[in-house]
């Protein structure tokens, strides 16, 4: 052991002038991104910095309106007033409350590379060719196989293919989708770009800054009349007049209190929304758990409101990829009886 230690010290003394050491050369691919900035200081669109700030009157208006909503819906489990920082509002595509790009399971450069090549292997609709990526609003990107990629892009494509596999969404006419807990609107952006047959994509959220940001982001992406952001206090009346085919909930119910999940499921059942896709946060090698942050099992709530499990599968269909690719979870599809 002393000999090995001596050799390592000797080699490190030779490599140090070049900025390397034995440990970093052998294990750099396994290391996390902890020392990196949490967002890319990219150029913002004109007037974005002025608009995307906590003092914007539109954000203040939404916060006041949301404060009047039932506390059963808005009482935070995670999303307190300090959960979204001022930087998160301006650089909302960075590594923050909306998307963990540099933290979490397998969030290493090796994890990203593995995920990218997995997505290429399942990409029968050529979405990597039709969904371009950029670093707007702090997005952290990687150039892999000469293609700019991010967690936003990779996760969105995998989620689209889950729905394509089980519901053949690319062939459905006048598809109408409701996104509960839509965050900044990343999946709406990707799905509308990917699928010309989408008629309407409604984004809603119980967090006022999310509604504020997604309003701006979906306008910026110029998605026309297809993408609509519905404030929380308008969602019930909107669904009374708007037929929806599929509801999606990506990493949102996991961060809600049980009373809020109950309210959303009652709303889906009342409006006869047939399909519900869920991607939870909780994960272990035995599978993903439909639990919120308080440890309550909300699958029973889903079933209580008339939904039956139609499909459950790992985010990555290959077991080794599921073990080592970024942010593994399971995807669920429920159907209303």
């Amino acid at each position: 052991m002393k000999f090995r230690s001596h050799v390592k010290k000797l080699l490190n003394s030779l490599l140090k002038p070049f900025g390397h050491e034995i440990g970093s050369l052998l294990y750099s691919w396994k290391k996390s991104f902890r020392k990196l900035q949490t967002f890319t200081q990219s150029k913002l669109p004109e007037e974005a910095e002025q608009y995307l700030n906590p003092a914007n009157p539109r954000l203040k208006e939404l916060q006041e309106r949301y404060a009047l909503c039932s506390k059963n819906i808005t009482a935070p489990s995670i999303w307190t007033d300090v959960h979204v920082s001022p930087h998160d509002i301006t650089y909302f595509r960075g590594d923050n409350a909306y998307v963990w790009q540099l933290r979490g399971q397998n969030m290493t450069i090796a994890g990203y590379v593995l995920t990218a090549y997995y997505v290429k292997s399942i990409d029968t609709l050529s979405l990597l060719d039709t969904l371009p990526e950029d670093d707007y609003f702090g997005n952290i990107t990687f150039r892999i196989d000469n293609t700019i990629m991010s967690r936003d892009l990779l996760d969105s494509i995998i989620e689209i293919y889950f729905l394509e596999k089980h519901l053949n969404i690319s062939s459905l006419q006048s598809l109408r989708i409701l996104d509960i807990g839509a965050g900044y609107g990343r999946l709406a952006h990707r799905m509308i770009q990917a699928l010309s047959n989408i008629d309407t994509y409604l984004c809603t959220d119980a967090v006022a800054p999310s509604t504020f940001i997604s309003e701006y982001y979906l306008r910026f992406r110029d998605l026309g009349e297809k993408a609509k952001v519905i404030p929380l206090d308008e969602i019930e009346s909107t669904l009374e007049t708007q037929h929806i085919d599929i509801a999606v909930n990506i990493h949102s119910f996991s961060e809600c209190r049980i009373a809020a999940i109950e309210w959303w499921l009652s709303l889906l059942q009342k409006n006869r929304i047939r399909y519900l896709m869920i991607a939870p946060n909780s994960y272990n090698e035995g599978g993903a758990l439909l639990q919120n942050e308080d440890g309550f099992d909300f699958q029973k709530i889903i079933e209580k409101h008339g939904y039956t499990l139609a499909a459950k599968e790992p985010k990555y269909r290959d077991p080794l990829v599921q073990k080592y690719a970024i942010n593994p979870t399971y995807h669920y599809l429920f159907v209303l009886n």
Side-chain angles (χ1 to χ4, degrees), residues 153-167:
L153 177 64
L154 295 169
D155 274 8
S156 297
I157 291 177
I158 292 170
E159 289 151 8
I160 290 170
Y161 278 120
F162 174 78
L163 290 172
E164 176 69 7
K165 176 183 177 184
H166 295 286
L167 298 178

Side-chain angles (χ1 to χ4, degrees), residues 18-149:
F18 300 97
H20 296 298
E21 62 180 37
I22 291 295
S24 65
L25 287 174
L26 289 178
Y27 304 112
S28 61
W29 65 273
K30 297 171 70 176
K31 292 183 177 178
S32 68
F33 300 106
R34 290 174 188 167
K35 294 183 180 179
L36 294 185
Q37 242 183 332
T38 56
F39 62 89
T40 299
Q41 292 257 8
S42 55
K43 182 180 178 181
L44 292 169
E46 189 176 355
E47 298 182 357
E49 194 162 10
Q50 179 181 353
Y51 186 88
L52 294 169
N53 75 81
N56 187 299
R58 174 58 176 167
L59 176 56
K60 296 293 186 182
E61 176 198 345
L62 289 167
Q63 289 171 327
E64 291 170 3
R65 288 167 59 179
Y66 280 36
L68 298 176
C69 294
S70 169
K71 295 297 186 288
N72 285 338
I73 313 168
T74 59
S77 173
I78 292 178
W79 290 81
T80 62
D81 291 340
V82 298
H83 193 60
V84 179
S85 72
H87 263 130
D88 293 344
I89 292 176
T90 306
Y91 293 100
F92 54 85
R93 297 182 75 208
D95 176 62
N96 56 33
Y98 290 103
V99 179
W100 281 15
Q101 299 194 54
L102 306 178
R103 293 169 286 168
Q105 190 168 351
N106 302 332
M107 304 301 278
T108 64
I109 189 60
Y112 268 96
V113 171
L114 178 60
T115 304
Y117 278 96
Y118 171 82
V119 169
K120 289 173 72 71
S121 75
I122 67 169
D123 193 15
T124 56
L125 299 176
S126 300
L127 298 184
L128 282 173
D129 296 327
T130 58
L131 302 179
E133 186 55 289
D134 54 51
D135 63 358
Y136 275 126
F137 309 107
N139 190 26
I140 296 167
T141 62
F142 305 89
R143 182 174 289 276
I144 302 170
D145 195 25
N146 207 34
T147 301
I148 298 175
M149 302 189 192

Side-chain angles (χ1 to χ4, degrees), residues 225-281:
E225 293 299 313
K226 292 187 175 184
K228 299 177 182 179
V229 180
I230 312 299
L232 181 64
D233 56 359
E234 297 177 13
I235 190 60
E236 289 184 271
S237 59
T238 298
L239 292 180
E240 289 175 359
T241 60
Q242 179 78 75
H243 172 74
I244 295 294
D245 302 299
I246 305 168
V248 297
N249 184 276
I250 309 299
H251 303 298
S252 177
F253 282 165
S254 296
E255 300 173 354
C256 291
R257 296 195 182 277
I258 289 298
I261 299 172
E262 285 266 17
W263 185 85
W264 284 110
L265 264 296
S266 296
L267 192 64
L268 298 185
Q269 182 183 33
K270 176 184 176 182
N271 290 279
R272 304 302 298 172
I273 297 176
R274 187 175 184 192
Y275 295 107
L276 170 62
M277 175 192 173
I278 297 178
N281 287 348

Side-chain angles (χ1 to χ4, degrees), residues 176-242:
R176 296 170 184 246
I177 298 173
L178 170 67
D179 195 331
I180 300 170
Y184 66 79
R186 66 152 181 99
L187 190 54
H189 169 217
R190 301 304 185 184
M191 289 193 75
I192 292 172
Q193 281 190 323
L195 302 170
S196 61
N197 58 315
I198 289 180
D199 179 81
T200 304
Y201 195 112
L202 303 183
C203 293
T204 192
D205 205 295
V207 178
S210 301
T211 300
F212 169 71
I213 292 168
S214 60
E215 285 179 340
Y216 175 87
Y217 184 63
L218 297 180
R219 283 199 307 269
F220 169 75
R221 292 301 183 186
D222 194 22
L223 300 176
E225 293 299 313
K226 292 187 175 184
K228 299 177 182 179
V229 180
I230 312 299
L232 181 64
D233 56 359
E234 297 177 13
I235 190 60
E236 289 184 271
S237 59
T238 298
L239 292 180
E240 289 175 359
T241 60
Q242 179 78 75

